[in-house]
Amino acid sequence: MRPFRYVRASDPDAAARAVAANPRAKFLAGGTNLLDLMKEDVERPDELVDLRRLKMTEIKPLRGGVSIGALATNTETANHPLIRQGYPLLTMAIVAGASAQLRNMATNGGNLLQRTRCPYFYDTAMPCNKREPGTGCGAREGLNRMHAIFGWSEKCVATYPGDMANALYALDATVRIRGAGGRERTIPIDEFHRLPGDTPEKDNNLQHGELITAIELPRSNFAKNSYYLKVRDRASYAFALVAVAAALELDGGTIRQARVVLGGVAHKPWRSREAEAALAGKPASEESFRRAAEAALEGAKPLAQNAFKVELGKRAVIRALMRAGRLV
Ligand SMILES: Cc1cc2nc3c(=O)[nH]c(=O)nc-3n(C[C@H](O)[C@H](O)[C@H](O)COP(=O)(O)OP(=O)(O)OC[C@H]3O[C@@H](n4cnc5c(N)ncnc54)[C@H](O)[C@@H]3O)c2cc1C
Ligand code: SF4
């Protein structure tokens, strides 16, 4: 591990100022991703600004919805009564991730910003445009079973590995951000992560030095009928091959509106507006869910080793919707 300076931030503005002032500084939250990457020599910050003493841990009602502190842990968030009752999809997604020990350390802000699990990204002997722009993509013609089937570019075919964000996309979350000088802004979650394009080194639309302070959820009509399904190689410590965050608002047996977000298939959580449109106004039935699954996977472009994700994705969408609609 390379030497670095350690600074403990006393308030959000001081934290944002410290990182903004040094292009090689990074925020440190739970450290469960960043420290691993530093030990692998993938991330090389020369200064860490520790956020853990900041009071951004509150989970509280906000305008009919809820505000979730960026430094609340994944465990605190998943177990909070406001989340369990109002947003069970978020609880299901969080507990599908990592392990109990990791969720006790991992924070919500850090979870949103976790980096890809592409093995070439972790191996500094291999080419990787995300780690070192211009070196090439090892996975494009290499081992790409875990990789993207939507939205990839010739520069990068990696997937976003997180679970929590898939639920946040389905729940129309907003990310609250504070920059140096106290400037605040919000980003709708749909615009938070990026597709790789020509700049795969950029995972998201945060500027250097911008601090996530909270994640805000609007009032939700999906609490009764939602489900998070994660399909993976083994039941724990494994990232999704395909995940589905499914949510339905029902009027009797008819779907008023739906959300279908796929994880493990793209560089960001992949919201399928095609599947959602196919479901709106239709009966909550297996037949409707089959049509939605076809629509969700319609434009998939698999790589050499991951064509199986197309059929797997369809079956996962149907199963998640069946569970959300309480038909199984
Ligand atoms: C073995 C293992 C298995 C895992 N399995 C899963 C899984 O199945 N599903 C899943 O979703 N995740 C999984 N994870 C990932 C885990 O959830 C993340 O590592 C964790 O959520 C990151 O949070 P953290 O607080 O530890 O972030 P850190 O590691 O501290 O930081 C991560 C990044 O976010 C930045 N950052 C942190 N907080 C802020 C903030 N408030 N504002 C701006 N920038 C910030 C840091 O600078 C850093 O770049 C796994 C991790 C491990 C080690
Ligand atoms: S898929 Fe992306 S992260 Fe993986 S090797 Fe290619 S450029 Fe790097």
Side-chain angles (χ1 to χ4, degrees), residues 2-9 14-29 34-35 38 43-51 208:
R2 292 168 194 255
F4 58 87
R5 212 159 75 86
Y6 173 86
V7 179
R8 190 173 275 152
R17 259 199 320 275
V19 171
N22 175 1
R24 293 194 53 207
K26 296 212 79 152
F27 298 117
L28 174 69
L34 181 57
L35 294 183
M38 288 169 68
E43 297 266 18
R44 299 170 182 176
D46 67 4
E47 179 178 352
L48 291 185
V49 177
D50 190 346
L51 304 175
H208 181 74

Side-chain angles (χ1 to χ4, degrees), residues 249-271:
E249 183 188 345
L250 298 180
D251 183 1
T254 304
I255 301 165
R256 202 176 270 159
Q257 57 165 335
R259 294 288 184 277
V260 177
V261 179
L262 286 100
V265 298
H267 199 258
K268 61 185 283 186
W270 194 256
R271 181 168 167 188

Side-chain angles (χ1 to χ4, degrees), residues 95-116:
V95 300
S99 65
Q101 295 92 331
L102 281 158
R103 295 193 296 270
N104 288 342
M105 283 302 289
T107 65
N108 297 319
N111 192 300
L112 274 186
L113 296 174
Q114 63 180 287
R115 306 213 68 191
T116 186

Side-chain angles (χ1 to χ4, degrees), residues 116-122 126-132 136-140 147 154-159 196 200 267:
T116 186
R117 294 281 160 170
C118 172
Y120 299 92
F121 176 69
Y122 271 79
M126 299 302 286
C128 172
N129 286 324
K130 186 181 280 298
R131 177 171 29 77
E132 267 184 66
C137 171
R140 176 70 185 90
H147 289 68
E154 287 302 324
K155 294 267 170 71
C156 178
V157 295
T159 54
H267 199 258

Side-chain angles (χ1 to χ4, degrees), residues 34-299:
L34 181 57
L35 294 183
D36 278 359
L37 290 167
M38 288 169 68
K39 288 178 200 163
E40 301 284 349
D41 206 25
V42 174
E43 297 266 18
R44 299 170 182 176
D46 67 4
E47 179 178 352
L48 291 185
V49 177
D50 190 346
L51 304 175
R52 292 301 291 238
R53 296 245 174 122
L54 304 187
K55 304 209 178 337
M56 304 183 323
T57 54
E58 216 179 352
I59 299 172
K60 60 183 181 192
L62 178 80
R63 297 188 294 273
V66 63
S67 167
I68 306 170
L71 287 173
T73 65
N74 280 180
T75 299
E76 287 160 351
T77 307
N79 289 338
H80 197 282
L82 283 174
I83 305 301
R84 291 188 85 91
Q85 284 153 25
Y87 308 89
L89 181 65
L90 182 55
T91 296
M92 284 185 263
I94 291 174
V95 300
S99 65
Q101 295 92 331
L102 281 158
R103 295 193 296 270
N104 288 342
M105 283 302 289
T107 65
N108 297 319
N111 192 300
L112 274 186
L113 296 174
Q114 63 180 287
R115 306 213 68 191
T116 186
R117 294 281 160 170
C118 172
Y120 299 92
F121 176 69
Y122 271 79
D123 185 345
T124 53
M126 299 302 286
C128 172
N129 286 324
K130 186 181 280 298
R131 177 171 29 77
E132 267 184 66
T135 55
C137 171
R140 176 70 185 90
E141 302 298 335
L143 297 172
N144 51 35
R145 174 176 175 273
M146 293 292 292
H147 289 68
I149 56 171
F150 286 109
W152 51 268
S153 72
E154 287 302 324
K155 294 267 170 71
C156 178
V157 295
T159 54
Y160 172 77
D163 289 294
M164 184 185 84
N166 299 328
L168 294 177
Y169 274 61
L171 295 167
D172 299 307
T174 300
V175 184
R176 183 161 288 280
I177 291 156
R178 199 174 178 95
R183 190 176 44 89
E184 286 216 8
R185 66 180 183 120
T186 55
I187 307 183
I189 190 81
D190 219 10
E191 295 164 23
F192 185 80
H193 299 98
R194 298 163 61 101
L195 291 178
D198 287 335
T199 52
E201 68 277 15
K202 291 186 185 160
D203 292 345
N204 56 65
N205 288 314
L206 277 186
Q207 305 295 321
H208 181 74
E210 283 189 322
L211 179 70
I212 301 174
T213 55
I215 297 164
E216 296 172 359
L217 294 175
R219 182 195 300 277
S220 171
N221 293 325
F222 295 125
K224 277 199 204 131
N225 293 102
S226 57
Y227 194 73
Y228 190 77
L229 177 70
K230 180 173 178 180
V231 184
R232 48 189 155 172
D233 284 326
R234 55 174 194 269
S236 183
Y237 276 114
F239 291 87
L241 289 165
V242 173
V244 180
L248 298 170
E249 183 188 345
L250 298 180
D251 183 1
T254 304
I255 301 165
R256 202 176 270 159
Q257 57 165 335
R259 294 288 184 277
V260 177
V261 179
L262 286 100
V265 298
H267 199 258
K268 61 185 283 186
W270 194 256
R271 181 168 167 188
S272 175
R273 291 181 195 272
E274 296 80 3
E276 293 170 8
L279 289 165
K282 300 292 187 313
S285 66
E286 186 168 348
E287 196 188 324
S288 306
F289 300 158
R290 283 191 185 283
R291 286 211 197 93
E294 289 295 332
L297 276 298
E298 172 85 32

